[in-house]
Amino acid sequence: MQDFKRTKLETSYNSQRTEDFSIINGPTGTIKQSDHKFDEQASETSEYQENKSSSLKQPLPIIQQDIEKSEYESQIVESLGDSYPGSEIQALIEQKKQRDHKPIYLNIMVVGQSGLGKSTFIDVILKKKFGTGQILRDSTLQIQEIQGQITANDLTLNIKFIDTPGFRHQYSLRSWLKLLCGHIRSQFNSYQQRQNQQYESKEKFQQLSQQDLDERVHVCFYFFSGPRIQTEDLQALKKISGLVNVIPILAKGDSYTKNEIIQLKQQFNDLINDYHIDLFKCQCNNNFNEKSQFGPTPPYVIISSVEQFQVGNHLIYGRKFPWGICDIFNPQHSDLAILHKSLIGHYCLELIRLTDFLYNNYVQKEKQKLKMKQQNKTWLAYLISYLLNL
Amino acid sequence: MVVGQSGLGKSTFIDVLLKKKLGNGQIIRDSTLQIQEIQGIINQNDLTLNIKFIDTPGFKHQYSLRSWLKLLCGYIKNQFKSYQQRQNQQYESKEKFQQLSQQEFDERVHVCFYFFSGPRIQTEDLQALKKISGLVNVIPILAKGDSYTKNEIIQLKQQFNDMINHYHIDLFKCQCNNNFQEKSQFGPTLPYVIISSVEQFQVGNLLIYGRKFPWGICDIFNPQHSDLIILYKSLIGHYCLELIKLTDFLYNNYVQKEKQKLKLKQQSEYWLVNLISYLFNR
């Protein structure tokens, strides 16, 4: 695993933005759990390291690479002042680059039934090793937030995973959905409050708008499994897809043969169309044509494991069976590599944009609810006054 | 009898043991909806073994555990009843006795394979086990053995055995005299780790039943991959007669309970009659 190297030229940019980082890392490092076992995982920010396989080293298609040149030129600009022709344009380009270099926040929520490998999946994406040293983890009991950061070429991507307790059949589906939707809504609420705060005074606006902190849930990975798609999953999907972008994931991919996966994906897509559930569909302009070995790409087939094995020269994450070792990043074995690439490279900005739309939806609904409530109150007040007058 | 949650490979397991080929050509079968009986015969050296598998619908969480258990226990009790009726019929007259006792037809359920799975043992499984083990011999089976690594299986078996001891559930334990020392690769033999598949693959010279993954083919009869071969051997070679003997004991238990129930019923009726007559006389 290579550490991504930072050149000396980048340090000047970073020094300007350290203040921003200290503000950001403070309030967002919240831990919502009481179990001491998960202390070490939940609150640290881990440096993300580039994966060893060259296929994943895809340049993020956003930032231009003109660091060296523009820094030099900006120094010339300052020394010569306004007499230098075109200096104001350079300054403008400078400023725009600075504003574009704000960190991107991507909040991912992971939901599904109990025992499907959600917490292990988060560990894999954040490249953590064996968290607790257990072979079969204990089940997650509360909603936890786990942060991670990818820094590359002056771009900072703050990924926050929200690990949720899996749905167990002893408890009702309704209370589980209430927990999840409640969390999504509370994130919307706090975002709304901060937006409202921003516009209260000019100083606040300047202060807060620079942070661009976005704690709304942008995407939800819905884990399902089993030889047959269950109706509880479809009900939950219907409810959640109205609040957040949903990407379906077929978990425990190592227990199905290739033909079974193809059939399962087909079944899932048929059921989704039947019930008119609105999942995330990317409208990207890039020629992104990575196709999965197992059929249509949503749902992605995933195998989660934090165990590493030495196979030849490579160190792979996988699961070891007496008849072979499956490599979770191998595109022949699972769709994890494709998911990882698409998520960070192509879906990221689209997801954040669509979240804006869903957030707006939510705000409108809340306004309507408030209106209805007020209307009811006035109606009730009229009724009481009428009765009193009688 | 084969019971367990829905989607664990019970119907496929039956097909494997009866050496049937790909039944309906489907890759993922539809779920079993009703109790079905499937027969098979092993004939060798003048010994005939009639195996009858009872395939049950798996427990789905939309329906209540209670109704599912009622279905299963109802079936077991039915079989006991029909056996009892025939026994009673036998002793009615001498001719009938000579006729029926020669058949020695036994339709009681002798053993129940309980399928469970998942990274965590569920309480519904333990509740069901507690109820069923009072009526029939139970052999627990860890299904979908191809989705767990070896260490996970060892840990799961340990967890399962701890829970069984904790809840004092009475599973089938063989007291055989033979020097039967086949040990499983995965830890204590109970519960057996099973992989079910009816697909066949050619590997070298051998034709094996297995499941094909991009990283390898698992062979269900290979003792390194699953406990199926140990289960098969023990069941037919060593447990068979023991199971039938113990079923006699459980059947007797059942008959005694029924007699007690009947007695209580009569007593309460008697008491009610007494009360009414007393009230009338007042």
Side-chain angles (χ1 to χ4, degrees), chain B residues 157-173:
Chain B
K157 285 198 180 192
Q158 191 60 44
Q159 268 183 19
F160 183 79
N161 286 328
D162 290 341
M163 290 219 171
I164 293 293
N165 292 335
H166 190 63
Y167 285 88
H168 305 294
I169 299 176
D170 199 13
L171 299 179
F172 173 72
K173 283 186 193 67

Side-chain angles (χ1 to χ4, degrees), chain A residues 114-116 134-140 168-170 227-228 231-232 252-260 263-264 267 294 303 307 319-327 332-333, chain B residues 6-8 26-32 60-62 119-120 123-124 144-152 155-156 159 186 195 199 211-219 224-225:
Chain A
S114 180
L116 290 183
Q134 271 184 328
I135 298 166
L136 291 169
R137 306 167 74 117
D138 292 329
S139 43
T140 318
R168 287 196 204 174
H169 290 281
Q170 287 113 311
R228 294 167 204 112
T231 50
E232 287 113 353
K252 292 191 166 270
D254 55 318
S255 55
Y256 307 109
T257 62
K258 192 165 170 176
N259 294 332
E260 286 174 352
Q263 187 172 340
L264 269 172
Q267 267 183 20
F294 303 104
I303 306 172
E307 294 171 44
R319 282 169 71 80
K320 184 175 181 189
F321 298 104
W323 50 90
I325 299 182
C326 80
D327 177 7
Q332 305 274 343
H333 295 181
Chain B
S6 182
L8 290 183
Q26 268 184 332
I27 298 166
I28 301 179
R29 311 166 70 116
D30 292 329
S31 43
T32 318
K60 286 190 200 179
H61 288 282
Q62 287 111 313
R120 296 170 202 110
T123 49
E124 287 114 351
K144 291 190 168 273
D146 55 318
S147 55
Y148 306 109
T149 61
K150 190 165 172 175
N151 293 333
E152 286 172 353
Q155 188 171 341
L156 269 172
Q159 268 183 19
F186 301 103
I195 307 171
E199 295 170 39
R211 281 169 73 77
K212 184 176 181 186
F213 299 104
W215 51 89
I217 300 181
C218 80
D219 176 8
Q224 305 274 342
H225 295 182

Side-chain angles (χ1 to χ4, degrees), chain A residues 32-94:
Chain A
K32 293 181 188 170
Q33 49 94 358
S34 57
D35 193 345
H36 66 91
K37 269 191 217 165
F38 294 96
D39 266 347
E40 31 183 347
Q41 284 181 2
S43 60
E44 71 183 295
T45 55
S46 61
E47 282 285 292
Y48 183 85
Q49 296 170 344
E50 290 270 29
N51 193 290
K52 54 138 180 81
S53 79
S54 56
S55 62
L56 290 181
K57 274 189 191 162
Q58 180 168 346
L60 300 160
I62 304 165
I63 303 293
Q64 314 236 328
Q65 292 265 6
D66 280 331
I67 302 168
E68 195 175 351
K69 190 175 168 195
S70 58
E71 218 222 334
Y72 179 62
E73 284 183 11
S74 71
Q75 283 178 352
I76 298 177
V77 165
E78 283 167 24
S79 58
L80 288 182
D82 286 331
S83 60
Y84 184 73
S87 62
E88 65 278 7
I89 301 295
Q90 285 302 328
L92 185 60
I93 294 177
E94 271 306 300

Side-chain angles (χ1 to χ4, degrees), chain A residues 188-201 204-205 208 359 363 367:
Chain A
F188 277 165
N189 278 340
S190 54
Y191 183 78
Q192 188 181 18
Q193 274 177 10
R194 215 166 14 80
Q195 295 285 75
N196 292 341
Q197 263 189 353
Q198 265 187 7
Y199 294 106
E200 276 176 17
S201 71
K204 272 198 179 177
F205 184 76
L208 293 173
Y359 165 73
V363 167
K367 280 188 183 165

Side-chain angles (χ1 to χ4, degrees), chain B residues 187-199:
Chain B
T189 323
L190 254 69
Y192 294 92
V193 174
I194 294 295
I195 307 171
S196 315
S197 167
V198 277
E199 295 170 39

Side-chain angles (χ1 to χ4, degrees), chain B residues 110-145:
Chain B
H110 298 118
V111 62
C112 173
F113 285 150
Y114 193 90
F115 279 58
F116 70 95
S117 100
R120 296 170 202 110
I121 317 290
Q122 300 187 353
T123 49
E124 287 114 351
D125 286 331
L126 294 168
Q127 285 174 13
L129 271 174
K130 186 109 192 176
K131 189 123 201 222
I132 295 177
S133 57
L135 285 171
V136 70
N137 302 306
V138 175
I139 294 181
I141 288 185
L142 179 58
K144 291 190 168 273

Side-chain angles (χ1 to χ4, degrees), chain A residues 152-215:
Chain A
N153 281 349
D154 255 353
L155 179 76
T156 315
L157 176 61
N158 289 315
I159 299 186
K160 184 164 77 169
F161 278 100
I162 301 164
D163 193 7
T164 63
F167 168 62
R168 287 196 204 174
H169 290 281
Q170 287 113 311
Y171 312 115
S172 80
L173 184 67
R174 209 173 161 190
S175 58
W176 180 63
L177 282 177
K178 206 171 170 181
L179 182 75
L180 299 178
C181 297
H183 184 262
I184 299 174
R185 289 196 187 117
S186 66
Q187 299 294 82
F188 277 165
N189 278 340
S190 54
Y191 183 78
Q192 188 181 18
Q193 274 177 10
R194 215 166 14 80
Q195 295 285 75
N196 292 341
Q197 263 189 353
Q198 265 187 7
Y199 294 106
E200 276 176 17
S201 71
K202 211 173 190 182
E203 300 142 344
K204 272 198 179 177
F205 184 76
Q206 281 177 340
Q207 196 187 47
L208 293 173
S209 66
Q210 268 186 5
Q211 284 178 16
D212 220 18
L213 175 67
D214 189 358
E215 74 264 63

